Amino acid sequence: MRWLPYGADAVLVQCDSLDEMTAVRATVAAAEVPGVLEVIPGASTVLVVTSPGSKALPEVRALVEAADLANPPAVDPRDVVLDVRYDGADLELVAETAGLGVDEVVSLHTGAEYTVAFTGFAPGFAYLTGLPEQLRQPRLDTPRTKVPAGSVGVAGEFTGAYPRSSPGGWRLLGHTDAQLFDPHAERPVLLAPGDRVRFRSVR
């Protein structure tokens, strides 16, 4: 991994894989080092922000470099269940590409347990890992100019739900009515890194 200064009071840790990023994030978050304000994960990076004048950055680096990243600290995740109507525009395409029936796609998607690896793209958009191998498919060749809010889709190794209407190229399986982002709420985002997520099929 590489440690890159990010202004005077932050560092960007460039990791070699999603798994390494997840372990670094968990290690720093669990340690609760005084002076650390934010730990922000990305697909292969972790941004650690500290209070001005804090001496936390050297402590964070020493902590990570001494950690057994193959066995990161256990966390007590929040459990979130998202109700989904599996009527997405690409449900049959996903089934055909995977060589499965539509009911099998729904069963696989609802039968897995997911973890929020990181958020991005749009406020409240969570990238969930744990997608069954059979459902891992590329993005659409031509992205849609408008994907309805609440759309649940898959792309590569990730699944997730669009918190607001936006362009997007994920293959859509269905729709959830869950409020994924509310800027006026005490907790603006429903899903945060480390949360554990399941999908439940509803009519």
Side-chain angles (χ1 to χ4, degrees):
M1 68 184 69
R2 299 177 63 202
W3 296 75
L4 305 177
Y6 206 82
D9 303 301
V11 65
L12 187 70
V13 186
Q14 288 189 335
C15 303
D16 294 328
S17 66
L18 180 64
D19 287 343
E20 186 175 72
M21 178 283 294
T22 300
V24 170
R25 185 204 66 80
T27 298
V28 178
E32 298 184 345
V33 176
V36 172
L37 299 179
E38 290 187 280
V39 182
I40 305 171
S44 60
T45 61
V46 179
L47 177 65
V48 181
V49 182
T50 66
S51 55
S54 167
K55 305 298 183 182
L57 290 180
E59 185 176 347
V60 167
R61 180 164 185 166
L63 172 75
V64 171
E65 291 182 343
D68 177 9
L69 297 181
N71 297 285
V75 296
D76 186 16
R78 291 172 63 248
D79 289 310
V80 180
V81 176
L82 297 180
D83 288 336
V84 178
R85 293 190 301 277
Y86 284 89
D87 55 1
D90 303 313
L91 182 58
E92 291 187 2
L93 172 63
V94 170
E96 180 181 352
T97 303
L100 301 170
V102 166
D103 289 345
E104 290 176 294
V105 170
V106 174
S107 179
L108 282 169
H109 196 252
T110 56
E113 182 177 271
Y114 305 94
T115 301
V116 179
F118 58 97
T119 59
F121 170 64
F125 192 102
Y127 290 78
L128 309 180
T129 57
L131 185 67
E133 186 71 33
Q134 301 98 309
L135 300 183
R136 298 183 182 185
Q137 300 186 11
R139 289 167 171 79
L140 297 172
D141 292 335
T142 302
R144 293 181 171 90
T145 57
K146 186 176 182 180
V147 176
S151 294
V152 175
V154 294
E157 64 187 297
F158 301 110
T159 188
Y162 288 76
R164 58 174 60 176
S165 177
S166 67
W170 289 32
R171 300 188 179 200
L172 305 182
L173 302 181
H175 181 273
T176 180
D177 290 328
Q179 183 73 43
L180 300 167
F181 176 66
D182 180 357
H184 305 296
E186 182 177 351
R187 181 188 173 93
V189 296
L190 177 62
L191 303 176
D195 287 351
R196 191 164 50 199
V197 180
R198 283 188 176 276
F199 295 97
R200 180 169 56 197
S201 178
V202 297
R203 296 295 180 184

